Amino acid sequence: MVTLDRLRTLSARVGADPLLVQAAGGNTSLKDEGVMWIKASGTWLKDARSRDIFVPIDQASLVDALVRHDPAADACLPFVRADLNSTGLRPSIETSVHALMPHRIVVHVHCVNTIAWAIRDDAEARLADRLREFAWAFVPYARPGLPLAEAIAARQRRGVDVLVLGNHGLVVGADTVVAAEALLERVVSAVTRPAREAVPPDRHALEALCAGTPYTPAASDDTHALATDALALERGRACVYYPDHVVFLGVGVATDMGSGAPLVAVPGKGVLVRTDARPAVEAMGRCLADVMRRVGPDDPLVALTSEEIDRLVNWDAEKYRQGLTHPSGPSTGRSSRAPRTA
Ligand SMILES: [Zn+2]
């Protein structure tokens, strides 16, 4: 199918941009003759050209289930077209988001510039000015799956092709891959915020700290900015602002290697990552740095609550994604630290 091939190309391009997608986050879809092809749970968009990452869904049955608030629509498993599913993978945990958009092509990204607005308690009002040229809707935070689908349904209006998901990300829909990419670029351009420059790490000090430990300095200076930008660490260290952070890093940011956390920010020096950490860990550390370098000292940020974090990390579909992303599954005590106050 030519269009799916074009979507693979766009997916790989979007997935390779850390300001749009980090690790297995984000997803794309195509609706064609009653089948919705959606990125598989736990797979990375950047791999869209090198492996088959799309799962076929019976679109009408899923939409019908969503309308009836059927719990089966939470993880969408019953709606996979097994006869067409050559990989045997499960659909994205955000499949219902795509099903609710009427457009043939839907792209959902964890756009850093969008998130830097979407984590504010005045996000909707501030974005109203920046997005006045667009047919858009703001959707308050809800856990992915059925709760997010219901939150979208409550805000969706005829003609809306841009959704900003509170404490989460961005969704655009269009009838062609070219139009979807163009719309994504226009929205990202409209919401782009200036970022403070990344202060380089003290690599010598970090190497000394790592000696004899299971840690190594992060690869990217953009990740190190989480620890070298004092404001980024101050505002980002104690809370969870969007789902994938807590899923991959636990609550907040560890600053002590004794914690055993997968990622440790050493204030003023840089970021350390465990040598056995999954690749998503540094990607998530960089994401938080990228978001927080776009946040000012007085921005009214709103974090996920302890209850919201609990509902997220104890969701079976999310546990599956974790297991798929990392063969040994979620680790105890490191990536799944017990939530503290958010
Ligand atoms: Zn998402």
Side-chain angles (χ1 to χ4, degrees), residues 255-273:
T255 53
D256 168 18
M257 279 192 286
S259 66
L263 180 141
V264 173
V266 184
K269 302 281 191 290
V271 167
L272 304 176
V273 179

Side-chain angles (χ1 to χ4, degrees), residues 154-173:
R155 291 290 181 111
Q156 182 65 290
R157 307 182 314 276
R158 194 176 174 80
V160 163
D161 56 9
V162 176
L163 300 177
V164 173
L165 309 181
N167 289 84
H168 186 154
L170 173 67
V171 183
V172 300

Side-chain angles (χ1 to χ4, degrees), residues 54-210:
F54 287 93
V55 174
I57 296 283
D58 186 314
Q59 160 85 1
S61 307
L62 173 54
V63 170
D64 182 55
L66 287 167
V67 169
R68 289 184 290 103
H69 306 282
D70 182 344
D74 195 30
C76 300
L77 282 181
F79 310 104
V80 173
R81 281 282 303 267
D83 56 320
L84 299 173
N85 190 15
S86 57
T87 65
L89 292 169
R90 292 187 186 189
S92 162
I93 61 173
E94 296 174 325
T95 295
S96 54
V97 171
H98 294 250
L100 285 174
M101 296 286 282
H103 311 87
R104 195 158 174 248
I105 306 293
V106 176
V107 177
H108 165 51
V109 289
H110 296 162
C111 164
V112 161
N113 281 291
T114 303
I115 293 172
W117 291 109
I119 61 176
R120 299 171 58 119
D121 68 2
D122 60 354
E124 185 170 10
R126 297 298 298 268
L127 285 166
D129 182 44
R130 292 193 167 237
L131 296 178
R132 60 188 176 281
E133 311 271 311
F134 297 86
W136 77 289
F138 181 80
V139 180
Y141 174 80
R143 192 209 79 188
L146 205 47
L148 178 55
E150 290 177 351
I152 289 174
R155 291 290 181 111
Q156 182 65 290
R157 307 182 314 276
R158 194 176 174 80
V160 163
D161 56 9
V162 176
L163 300 177
V164 173
L165 309 181
N167 289 84
H168 186 154
L170 173 67
V171 183
V172 300
D175 288 329
T176 67
V177 172
V178 170
E181 183 168 25
L183 180 57
L184 177 65
E185 283 180 4
R186 283 177 52 222
V187 175
V188 171
S189 166
V191 300
T192 291
R193 304 180 61 169
R196 294 186 298 280
E197 200 155 327
V199 179
D202 183 343
R203 288 190 178 275
H204 185 71
L206 292 176
E207 294 288 356
L209 278 171
C210 286

Side-chain angles (χ1 to χ4, degrees), residues 293-312:
R293 281 201 289 128
R294 288 163 172 80
V295 164
D298 301 317
D299 285 0
L301 304 189
V302 54
L304 301 190
T305 65
S306 299
E307 291 74 26
E308 287 166 339
I309 292 170
D310 275 346
R311 283 197 283 271
L312 190 63

